[in-house]
Amino acid sequence: MPEMPEVEALVHWLGDKLDGAVVAEIEPASFAVLKTYDPPVSAFAGLTVTGVTRHGKFIDIDVDGLHLVIHLAKAGWLRWSDHFGDSRVKMGGPLALRFRVDRGDGPHEGFDLTEAGTRKGLAVYAVRDPQEVAGIVRLGPDPLAPGFDLRPLLQRRMQVKRLLRDQTVVAGIGNAYSDEILHAARLSPFAIAEKLDEDEVVRLEAAVTSVLTEAVAAADGKPAADLKDAKRERMRVHGRAGQTCEVCGDTVAEVVFADSSLQYCPTCQTGGTLLKDRTTSKFLK
């Protein structure tokens, strides 16, 4: 799943690609992808792209005051093309939407939104104001925004892993970077946020800032096609179950849930204790 660092990189890259371009057409290729009906996507044709910004994991393309807001969800992605033919998109398959622009000096270019698998979560909203998108309205503060303060957000009886992933608490962090942050902070994913002591809070604050800042810097400037592989290569624990922890040499362990998993280092994070998953027994606290 693309998270804040990758979405930030996509926003910068798309901003350069689309700056000043005129929208030729927006073609949905899935009945489920477009979540709004007013304004219609046909209203974007002939208007100019004036900016691309980010709200949490949402991409916001400003087109002369209308906004095309995109949430890539778990399996969505964006693929750029320098040359679209004249053929119409076909309904069904991995293609969800095509965004064509016309620069007046050649064939249409633009991007396709695609989604792998059968569980469809990719969502597109055509709105006059991004605040019309309920997911944006509910977002918590952005962890890299000036003045961000993590401490008040920790006053919850929630596992810290779940807190970091909750978009209404902190915007933009998902499964991968929460694993990386907790590894850097040397905290168990099952630690209760409101019970963290001062030293643990300081470590977590530092880890949120350092992990996300470094990830944004590493992703910046990379084209969309390279972002997924670059993200995987940067991970120290996420997606590396059974491999060696680069910090201590222990074996990275895993907890499996119904539809996701988390990875952690027992030595770095849980004092050597293996956390049990639901496939074998109840969670250890």
Side-chain angles (χ1 to χ4, degrees):
M1 178 186 295
E3 299 177 34
M4 183 257 277
E6 292 74 47
V7 175
E8 183 80 0
L10 277 174
V11 162
H12 290 170
W13 184 75
L14 267 181
D16 291 339
K17 286 282 193 180
L18 294 175
D19 183 44
V22 175
V23 176
E25 190 174 14
I26 299 173
E27 299 177 82
S30 161
F31 292 112
V33 68
L34 191 61
K35 306 301 183 183
T36 56
Y37 61 90
D38 182 29
V41 291
S42 59
F44 288 74
L47 303 181
T48 302
V49 176
T50 52
V52 184
T53 55
R54 177 181 65 82
H55 312 276
K57 300 179 191 177
F58 291 85
I59 300 169
D60 175 7
I61 303 174
D62 189 335
V63 186
D64 277 341
L66 297 181
H67 296 260
L68 194 76
V69 176
I70 301 164
H71 191 278
L72 293 169
K74 189 171 185 177
W77 199 241
L78 184 152
R79 303 178 188 279
W80 184 267
S81 176
D82 290 323
H83 187 170
F84 281 133
D86 296 327
S87 61
R88 311 297 297 172
V89 300
K90 295 181 179 180
M91 304 298 285
L95 179 61
L97 180 140
R98 177 163 291 173
F99 186 95
R100 298 174 181 262
V101 296
D102 183 0
R103 296 192 179 276
D105 57 356
H108 289 170
E109 56 188 46
F111 63 83
D112 285 339
L113 294 179
T114 62
E115 186 169 27
T118 57
R119 297 183 63 179
K120 302 303 183 183
L122 175 67
V124 177
Y125 308 83
V127 294
R128 295 177 178 84
D129 185 331
Q131 293 300 307
E132 295 174 35
V133 180
I136 291 179
V137 174
R138 292 194 298 264
L139 287 175
D142 191 294
L144 293 186
F148 174 77
D149 188 358
L150 181 64
R151 286 175 181 262
L153 308 178
L154 296 175
Q155 303 307 308
R156 292 170 167 83
R157 189 169 180 77
M158 296 173 63
Q159 291 176 348
V160 67
K161 165 78 175 182
R162 185 161 65 88
L163 182 146
L164 290 174
R165 291 189 62 190
D166 189 330
Q167 298 304 294
T168 68
V169 179
V170 183
I173 301 173
N175 197 30
Y177 286 105
S178 58
D179 281 352
E180 296 299 298
I181 288 167
L182 291 170
H183 179 251
R186 307 193 307 280
L187 290 174
S188 167
F190 295 161
I192 302 301
E194 69 175 5
K195 293 185 177 181
L196 297 179
D197 63 29
E198 178 63 19
D199 182 59
E200 291 170 331
V201 171
V202 169
R203 297 202 311 263
L204 183 57
E205 287 179 316
V208 168
T209 300
S210 62
V211 168
L212 295 179
T213 300
E214 291 167 11
V216 168
D220 192 36
K222 286 185 170 60
D226 296 342
L227 285 172
K228 287 185 179 180
D229 288 340
K231 176 183 177 181
R232 280 191 288 266
E233 291 170 2
R234 289 195 306 273
M235 298 290 106
R236 289 191 169 191
V237 289
H238 183 77
R240 297 190 180 278
Q243 300 181 33
T244 301
C245 172
E246 298 176 5
V247 175
C248 72
D250 196 359
T251 300
V252 175
E254 182 174 48
V255 174
V256 177
F257 302 96
D259 57 356
S260 66
S261 63
L262 65 84
Q263 289 79 43
Y264 67 100
C265 172
T267 294
C268 291
Q269 297 176 250
T270 63
T273 299
L274 286 174
L275 302 174
K276 303 294 184 176
D277 65 46
R278 66 186 299 170
T279 63
T280 57
S281 65
K282 293 182 179 179
F283 291 136
L284 294 178
K285 301 298 183 183

